[in-house]
Amino acid sequence: MAPCRRSVDLYDRPVARVFSGIQPSGDMHLGNYLGALRQFAFDQYDHDAVFCIVDLHALTVPQDPGELRRRTLEAARIHMAAGLDPSVCTLFVQSHVHEHAELSWLMECTASVGELRRMTQFKEKADKASDQEFVAAALFTYPALMAADILLYEADRVPVGADQRQHLELARDLALRFNHRFGDTFVVPTAAVPRVGARIMDLQRPTEKMSKSVISPQGTVGLLEDAASIVRKIRRAVTDTEVEVRYDPQAKPGVSNLLTILGATTGEDPERLARRYHQYGELKADCAEAVVALLEPIQARYAELAADPAGTAAVLAEGVGKARAVAAPVLDRARAAVGLLPR
Ligand code: ATP
Ligand code: LTN
């Protein structure tokens, strides 16, 4: 089977590929932007860049069908509003490329129950569910689908927030195990986690990460939220009863989170930033101002894109074709390697 073709640079060197995915499981928030999306926009210019709205992953927890459709389109527009240029990168919806579900099965056959059981995201979500609550089997096998997403595109680099590090390690282990058993088939990927902003915490419960699917309206800053509401939430963010501004995520999670948000937004080091502040109020005011300024252009671009639904549909339709051109030969190679007959 011929290896997949990659773009080459002016010197005929192959260009590294970047791949990442975001679930349309709720309203996109500041953590998604600072931890993941912002890196996507940087990476697209010097990589073969492929980004995916992972709707199949969102189905691991109950979704209203109409809402899922709306959010999938919204997520695509947010990717573009955050700077992704579909003429430079590939943007598509996971379920449009059936190769993901197929390779996911081969990954489920490569992963062990023990290693899936050790995934903290599964443990946390399953533990949180009450005895009567439905926990889908797919919540357990979810990292196998994620590994399939990555391996199908022969990604070298996978930009993600800190919460996905463990899943990335598993994807690496599965690639290595498969290659060892069946011969070189997959590229072994590496996680790219930002130094500042990889784990933005909930403003009301600063020991928990800001999350789409956890209901915490006062603790979450939506990417499309209006300025007044963002300012109000940051002003009311939970801190502590001391007065000292210090970066210490263990002892002072609320204040440290505000320093992280301000640092990630302005490109400064949170510890160094702390020395500049003597009152929580000042820190909150500057943090709110910086976040509003960061989101303003994204929101303006989003409004333009939302006014042209056919434009979004066209981008996603083009994305499927570009994605399948890479994914289909890789899946064929994996199928052949394990001994499935050609079709
Ligand atoms: P859910 O609550 O449904 O799991 P989520 O908010 O965790 O959703 P995902 O779609 O799972 O969002 O993640 C998309 C990307 O955003 C991933 O790379 C993830 O690591 C990153 N991310 C998610 N939450 C945060 C956060 N609080 N801080 C930094 N990065 C984050
Ligand atoms: N599991 C990830 C979303 C995700 C992803 C991927 C990220 C699915 N497939 C492939 C990077 C690469 C999450 O919950 N944030």
Side-chain angles (χ1 to χ4, degrees), residues 104-239:
S104 177
W105 183 255
L106 298 190
M107 289 299 115
E108 282 184 44
C109 296
T110 309
S112 74
V113 169
E115 58 195 349
L116 290 175
R117 219 187 259 140
R118 285 195 291 277
M119 295 294 115
T120 48
Q121 182 173 299
F122 169 71
K123 282 196 279 192
E124 280 170 16
K125 288 198 177 171
D127 285 354
K128 262 191 209 147
S130 64
D131 285 349
Q132 294 90 323
E133 215 174 299
F134 176 81
V135 177
L139 202 57
F140 182 62
T141 55
Y142 175 117
L145 176 59
M146 177 163 163
D149 296 342
I150 296 165
L151 302 184
L152 272 179
Y153 297 91
E154 308 197 293
D156 307 280
R157 171 182 167 90
V158 184
V160 281
D163 62 318
Q164 295 304 311
R165 231 187 234 286
Q166 194 186 26
H167 289 161
L168 246 299
E169 281 302 314
L170 180 64
R172 283 176 64 87
D173 290 346
L174 298 184
L176 289 166
R177 187 175 306 151
F178 192 101
N179 286 350
H180 180 71
R181 277 194 198 152
F182 302 111
D184 249 2
T185 307
F186 296 123
V187 169
V188 181
T190 311
V193 177
R195 198 173 55 78
V196 180
R199 190 171 170 82
I200 301 298
M201 311 309 276
D202 186 289
L203 297 176
Q204 288 299 312
R205 290 169 307 155
T207 51
E208 312 259 326
K209 87 169 185 89
M210 197 178 276
S211 172
K212 271 194 246 103
S213 56
V214 173
I215 299 158
S216 174
Q218 297 312 312
T220 310
V221 174
L223 292 182
L224 300 180
E225 206 165 316
D226 67 84
S229 164
I230 295 175
V231 171
R232 201 174 328 113
K233 285 181 186 178
I234 294 181
R235 206 186 301 136
R236 293 185 187 158
V238 167
T239 49

Side-chain angles (χ1 to χ4, degrees), residues 223 227 291-301:
L223 292 182
V291 171
V292 168
L294 177 79
L295 298 186
E296 229 165 34
I298 297 175
Q299 296 182 353
R301 179 81 184 110

